[in-house]
Amino acid sequence: MFAVAAIGLFIAMLLVLIRLYSGPTLYDRVLAVNSFGTHTVLFIGVLGFLNGRPDFLDIALLYALINFVGTIAILKYFRYRAIGDMSPVTRKKETGL
Amino acid sequence: MSALDMFIEGLSWVFIVSGSFFAIVGAFGSLRFPDFWSRLHAASISESAGVILLLVGMALQAGLTLITVKLLIIGIFLFITGPTATHAVANAAYVTGLRPKEGTGLEAPKETSTKTEKPKSKVKVKSKPATKRRKPSANGKTRANGTTRSKG
């Protein structure tokens, strides 16, 4: 049962990877990275059950956290061209302050 | 007891297999759909249905242990952050000027909507006095019914 789920998730991850490499726009790629991360979380959990060591779920939870923060960071970088504090030019352009 | 175990085993089978099926469906849709905005829809399938079904199936396999608590935490986190991340991607794409493709039937129909609105407005104009006529008659009927009911 877990082998079936692992094979299915692996196929899904391969399909998402094809979209990741052939995505015409940046946002297709970001969406594919986010979807790939979600699939990876499930894949790690299923692999833990498949090996009889469900302690892998800690790693899956950590991967989910990093995936979300990474997606938001990528989007913020490509919107403002800065991850932390914005440069004065882009701040004036975006917020008017 | 063994019958209950068999039932839980079969139920977790169904949940896990259908969850991986939805994961494949979402990935295939995000590969094959023609547009970014339709790919968002396909990706959110595997982020909602696939995640929930697979985690519920794994929780049924694990039973009432600490593993189920971890699965619940992962589920709650993915349930909150998945739509948030998808919304962030969609918002960023919209702000930078990405719009649905034209000519594929995916864009919002502007010309056809105006064409269809005009006959609708004519119909509405024609139907407005009819509804005005109907309303007092309906009120009169209800009043008449009320009086007859109160009398009866």
Side-chain angles (χ1 to χ4, degrees):
Chain A
M1 163 168 53
F2 289 116
V4 174
I7 292 169
L9 282 172
F10 190 71
I11 294 169
M13 285 163 76
L14 284 182
L15 292 175
V16 171
L17 267 188
I18 296 171
R19 171 52 64 199
L20 175 61
Y21 281 110
S22 70
T25 65
L26 167 74
Y27 303 102
D28 287 311
R29 293 196 167 112
V30 176
L31 187 68
V33 166
N34 191 22
S35 181
F36 185 77
T38 309
H39 284 108
T40 308
V41 170
L42 293 174
F43 188 67
I44 291 170
V46 168
L47 269 192
F49 274 93
L50 191 63
N51 290 333
R53 289 172 61 192
D55 306 323
F56 278 24
L57 287 174
D58 296 330
I59 307 170
L61 181 59
L62 192 69
Y63 202 93
L65 288 161
I66 293 174
N67 182 35
F68 176 63
V69 175
T71 304
I72 298 297
I74 290 169
L75 287 173
K76 186 178 179 186
Y77 177 71
F78 280 104
R79 171 92 187 272
Y80 297 109
R81 293 290 157 184
I83 287 178
D85 200 5
M86 280 183 276
S87 68
V89 178
T90 53
R91 187 190 299 144
K92 197 170 282 181
K93 196 181 292 178
E94 294 289 339
T95 62
L97 293 172
Chain B
M1 190 63 189
S2 64
L4 186 63
D5 286 342
M6 286 284 286
F7 178 69
I8 288 177
E9 187 82 12
L11 203 63
S12 66
W13 249 105
V14 170
F15 273 113
I16 288 177
V17 170
S18 57
S20 54
F21 170 74
F22 274 112
I24 292 179
V25 164
F28 193 72
S30 70
L31 178 65
R32 287 292 298 164
F33 272 163
D35 195 8
F36 168 71
W37 302 99
S38 49
R39 276 173 216 144
L40 274 175
H41 161 68
S44 63
I45 285 175
S46 64
E47 280 189 5
S48 57
V51 165
I52 291 171
L53 289 171
L54 271 170
L55 290 181
V56 167
M58 283 192 270
L60 284 178
Q61 275 286 318
L64 284 175
T65 50
L66 184 64
I67 297 161
T68 310
V69 178
K70 286 176 188 173
L71 283 170
L72 189 68
I73 291 170
I74 293 176
I76 289 171
F77 187 77
L78 284 180
F79 199 72
I80 294 171
T81 59
T84 309
T86 310
H87 170 78
V89 177
N91 187 32
Y94 192 82
V95 162
T96 50
L98 194 66
R99 292 293 182 273
K101 268 187 184 177
E102 290 183 358
T104 54
L106 293 168
E107 75 276 11
K110 291 177 182 176
E111 297 176 359
T112 55
S113 67
T114 53
K115 280 176 185 174
T116 52
E117 274 175 6
K118 282 176 183 176
K120 275 181 182 176
S121 62
K122 284 175 185 175
V123 170
K124 279 175 185 174
V125 169
K126 283 177 185 175
S127 65
K128 271 177 184 176
T131 52
K132 280 176 185 174
R133 283 169 198 165
R134 278 173 195 170
K135 278 178 182 176
S137 65
N139 289 330
K141 278 178 186 175
T142 51
R143 278 172 195 168
N145 289 330
T147 50
T148 50
R149 277 173 191 170
S150 64
K151 281 175 184 175

